[in-house]
Amino acid sequence: GGVCLWNTFRGGVLAFWGGARAPPLPFEPVVLTGCCTDWAALYCECGWSVAALARRGLQRAVSLDGGPGFARTSLSLSRVPIQEYHRYCSADADGDRAPLYVFDADVLSSGFADGTTMASEWATPHCFSHDAQAGLTGSTFRPLPPAWLLVGAARSGTPIHDHPTTASWNALLSGAKAWVILPPDVDEAELLLRDDDDDDDDGSGDGADGGALDLSALEWFGERAERPLPAGARIVMQCPGEVVYVPAGWWHVVLNVQTSTALSVSLALRRDIDTLLPKLLKEDQPFAMQWLRSLGRDLPPSLKDALTLTHAPESLS
C-alpha cells in the first residue's frame, strides 16, 4: 500500500520488487521508499552530501552543467575539484540566479581519496535491474552511461525535458528537490519550451549560435507560478532516501530547493519494447535495428513475428 502526497503516489519499493507475483512498474510517476535503506551513500558519515564528498575527497574532478543559458552552452567539458564546488554551494552559489550544477557520470566509476569505490556505496534496486537497452550502452546510439551523479546548489536544477525511449529513477541522498512531471500528451504550450520564434532577431540570444535556450529550472518554476498546471501534472517534493520514478515519455523539470546530491539512472523497460520499437523503425531505423540486434533472444516473440513480416530475417540476427 501507499499514500498520495503532493498528488503523486508514495509507497514502499517492495510493492514493485520484481518477483513473479509483484505488479509491474506503473505507467505513471511514483515516489518509492525503502530503496536505499542499506546504502552507505545515504547513511555513512553524512552520506554523499556535498560537504561529505568534499571532506572525503574524490579521485577525479567533477563536471559542471546548468547555470544561465550562456553557460549551459560551454560547460560540458569543464571540471572542478569537489572541494571548490562545496565552497561555491557554501557561498550561496556566489549569488548566481541559476547556479551551476554537477552532472557527472564518469566519477561514479572512480572512487574516494582513500580508495573506496563509489560503486560499493549504492546499488540498483531490483525492480530497476533489467535494462532492455543495456546492450546499446557505449555505442553511437547510447554513448552516455545510464547512471549520473548530480550535485546541485540551491536554485540549480534540470530544465524541462523528457526521455522518449527510457524510463528513469532518481534517488535523493541529501537535500530536497521539487519536481513537476507532465504526461506525454500534454499540450506543448504548457512546457514553456523556447523555439526559433523566440530568438532575438539580432542574434543576441543566450545560445552558442545566438538562439535562445530553454528556461532554467528556476525560471520555469517562476513562470509557471503565474498560471495553473495542466490536468495530469504531478507535483513531488522529494526527501532524502526517496526515489522518484518517471516512465518513458513523461516531461519533467526539477529544482534543487536545498543543496542536494542524487543519483539519476535511465533504463528501458521490457514492457515498453512492443510500443517503442515499431515507432523507432519508422523514425530512426538504424537505432531500432541496432536495438533489435542487442536484444537477440530477449525480443518478445509477438514483436519478432511481426517484424519478420516486414524485415529480412538476416537483418535481425
Side-chain angles (χ1 to χ4, degrees):
V3 297
C4 280
L5 187 62
W6 293 87
N7 90 346
T8 302
F9 177 88
R10 255 183 173 84
V13 69
L14 291 179
F16 307 101
W17 195 244
R21 297 183 179 180
L25 288 165
F27 287 90
E28 296 185 354
V30 296
V31 179
L32 298 177
T33 57
C35 295
C36 318
T37 52
D38 58 351
W39 289 12
L42 182 64
Y43 293 113
C44 180
E45 297 180 8
C46 299
W48 285 10
S49 67
V50 65
L53 293 176
R55 184 178 65 252
R56 298 177 69 183
L58 299 177
Q59 292 176 352
R60 59 183 301 157
V62 293
S63 60
L64 293 176
D65 201 347
F70 70 87
R72 299 207 304 272
T73 66
S74 60
L75 279 173
S76 59
L77 298 180
S78 299
R79 289 185 173 273
V80 299
I82 189 62
Q83 291 83 356
E84 174 59 22
Y85 190 74
H86 178 224
R87 183 212 62 78
Y88 176 77
C89 294
S90 300
D92 193 30
D94 290 344
D96 291 345
R97 183 167 180 270
L100 306 177
Y101 196 5
V102 172
F103 199 81
D104 196 305
D106 296 334
V107 71
L108 289 175
S109 61
S110 61
F112 296 97
D114 65 1
T116 303
T117 63
M118 300 193 80
S120 68
E121 297 195 348
W122 68 282
T124 299
H126 185 75
C127 58
F128 301 126
S129 61
H130 303 292
D131 181 2
Q133 285 187 9
L136 295 178
T137 301
S139 72
T140 57
F141 301 101
R142 199 188 193 190
L144 300 176
W148 295 76
L149 173 68
L150 311 183
V151 186
R155 304 189 307 279
S156 66
T158 308
I160 188 78
H161 66 288
D162 73 335
H163 306 283
T165 67
T166 56
S168 64
W169 59 274
N170 180 296
L172 185 61
L173 304 175
S174 70
K177 291 177 179 283
W179 294 66
V180 172
I181 311 173
L182 303 172
D185 60 353
V186 66
D187 185 337
E188 188 171 306
E190 301 286 358
L191 301 175
L192 304 186
L193 297 173
R194 291 178 174 172
D195 55 32
D196 293 340
D197 293 335
D198 298 322
D199 296 350
D200 296 331
D201 292 338
D202 61 2
S204 61
D206 290 333
D209 59 356
L213 293 176
D214 290 334
L215 298 172
S216 70
L218 185 68
E219 292 168 334
W220 196 95
F221 273 83
E223 292 206 12
R224 281 285 4 171
E226 303 297 324
R227 65 179 83 177
L229 289 169
R234 303 292 194 274
I235 304 169
V236 174
M237 183 61 72
Q238 187 183 16
C239 300
E242 294 180 337
V243 169
V244 174
Y245 160 71
V246 182
W250 282 71
W251 294 85
H252 47 290
V253 57
V254 191
L255 179 68
N256 291 312
V257 179
Q258 302 172 351
T259 297
S260 302
T261 304
L263 285 171
S264 181
V265 184
S266 63
L267 75 158
L269 300 179
R270 182 179 174 85
R271 64 107 185 269
D272 294 334
I273 293 175
D274 285 347
T275 302
L276 292 176
L277 270 175
K279 182 179 179 181
L280 280 171
L281 283 167
K282 294 179 180 179
E283 299 177 358
D284 191 346
Q285 190 174 75
F287 178 18
M289 297 308 294
Q290 186 63 30
W291 191 8
L292 284 169
R293 296 186 188 98
S294 74
L295 287 169
R297 296 181 179 179
D298 290 332
L299 187 66
S302 60
L303 183 57
K304 192 168 187 178
D305 291 342
L307 289 172
T308 54
L309 297 176
T310 54
H311 295 83
E314 59 270 16
S315 67
L316 303 179
S317 60

